[in-house]
DNA sequence: GATTAAATGCAAATCATTTGCAGAAAGGAT
DNA sequence: ATCCTTTCTGCAAATGATTTGCATTTAATC
């Protein structure tokens, strides 16, 4: 089954209407496969001059509320969005801005933190910052 | 030695002038001891009506550049700042906004990540989100 | 195809943050 | 203590990102 159809069904499951604007946004996020700023998503939607930036924002916010999209903030890039699929974290090059997805190193840590603090844990987010091999050699 | 004097010396060591505005900002961050938004810092500076919000921003940015202050972004709070002292991470209650400092669970992980990716690691940041015991019982 | 709630386009508003410039203050030298 | 140079601040205005109100359009249901 195509990825886009999977996402259309996720919308239907949450009673969110499948609009062409929503699909266009999800298509960009699927194709790029890295976290993108709202403005970048907007810029990558070609041949839809009537699709407005405010629509991009409204949809991203809705999808974040429905836990279909993750909203992040990266040093140097500001607020970015990615489709919420498998749990993973990010490694960001401070020179070229490259973003690498990495396995989350804290798979089992929330239980320990719960025992230590009494907090009910829901989520965590990690950013690693460094310089990628390509940038190091230049 | 008083904490404030330590910070004045940190400024001198970096050739940053010790101005009364800078001191006022650092005093707020020292006293509150949790990450604060620029606007919150500004609001907590009493009896200095001439001290402007733009000055708060300019100084926070300078202190971030000089690695004396850490700039973070917390879900629900936006951009916040804290004095950079010991390496630690944060646990945030999504109900009441309470922020707890916690020991960093990734003390030795950067080496492993370097070996896996070739990246030169400089820094990392973790946020844990949950609900605190007080909010859970209410 | 008609009905209704939800979504969009559009323009304007809001909020956070930055900037230009003229005057004030800090730190070093005399 | 005064002078000098550079940095810093106040102030007001600009910018950039994000949100909002409202009239119109559209998706989903019947
Ligand atoms: Mn990712
Ligand atoms: Mn802290
Ligand atoms: Zn790079
Ligand atoms: Zn709480």
């Amino acid at each position: 089954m195509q990825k886009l159809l999977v996402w259309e069904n996720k919308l239907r499951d949450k009673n969110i209407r499948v609009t062409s604007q929503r699909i266009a946004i999800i298509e960009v996020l699927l194709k790029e496969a890295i976290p993108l700023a709202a403005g970048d998503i907007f810029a990558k939607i070609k041949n839809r001059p009537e699709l407005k930036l405010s629509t991009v924002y409204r949809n991203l916010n809705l999808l974040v509320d429905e836990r279909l999209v993750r909203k992040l903030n990266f040093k140097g890039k500001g607020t970015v969005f990615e489709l919420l699929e498998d749990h993973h974290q990010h490694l960001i090059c401070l020179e070229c801005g490259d973003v690498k997805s990495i396995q989350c190193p804290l798979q089992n840590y929330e239980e320990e933190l719960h025992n230590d603090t009494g907090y009910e844990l829901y989520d965590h987010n990690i950013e690693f910052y460094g310089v990628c091999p390509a940038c190091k050699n230049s």
Side-chain angles (χ1 to χ4, degrees), chain A:
Chain A
M1 196 189 217
Q2 306 181 42
K3 281 193 168 184
L4 190 54
L5 291 182
V6 173
W7 281 91
E8 292 186 6
N9 286 331
K10 290 187 188 197
L11 297 182
R12 292 194 184 94
D13 290 348
K14 303 228 178 217
N15 290 311
I16 298 172
R17 294 186 180 174
V18 178
T19 67
S20 69
Q21 293 86 340
R22 242 152 234 172
I23 297 305
I25 292 164
I26 291 171
E27 276 181 331
V28 169
L29 290 171
L30 273 173
K31 177 188 285 195
E32 301 294 324
I34 59 162
L36 293 176
D40 292 339
I41 296 167
F42 176 67
K44 285 184 191 302
I45 297 172
K46 327 281 196 197
N47 46 54
R48 296 291 307 269
E50 80 289 359
L51 199 168
K52 294 296 159 179
L53 181 55
S54 58
T55 299
V56 173
Y57 274 108
R58 268 195 281 237
N59 279 304
L60 290 171
N61 288 338
L62 174 72
L63 295 170
V64 168
D65 289 347
E66 298 288 347
R67 289 170 219 285
L68 296 175
V69 162
R70 180 152 72 141
K71 183 179 184 176
L72 297 167
N73 202 283
F74 290 165
K75 223 177 268 191
K77 307 205 165 193
T79 303
V80 292
F81 301 85
E82 69 177 359
L83 296 177
L84 193 40
E85 306 197 90
D86 61 307
H87 178 62
H88 67 275
Q89 306 297 345
H90 299 99
L91 169 55
I92 299 121
C93 175
L94 292 166
E95 293 280 328
C96 68
D98 186 57
V99 177
K100 245 176 109 63
S101 295
I102 61 172
Q103 191 191 326
C104 181
L106 297 180
Q107 298 292 140
N108 309 311
Y109 186 72
E110 292 199 342
E111 184 179 344
E112 185 177 335
L113 193 54
H114 170 72
N115 293 337
D116 286 359
T117 63
Y119 272 63
E120 208 62 55
L121 273 292
Y122 288 152
D123 194 18
H124 58 264
N125 168 52
I126 314 178
E127 302 128 35
F128 293 94
Y129 294 98
V131 172
C132 74
C135 288
K136 204 186 323 175
N137 307 322
S138 63

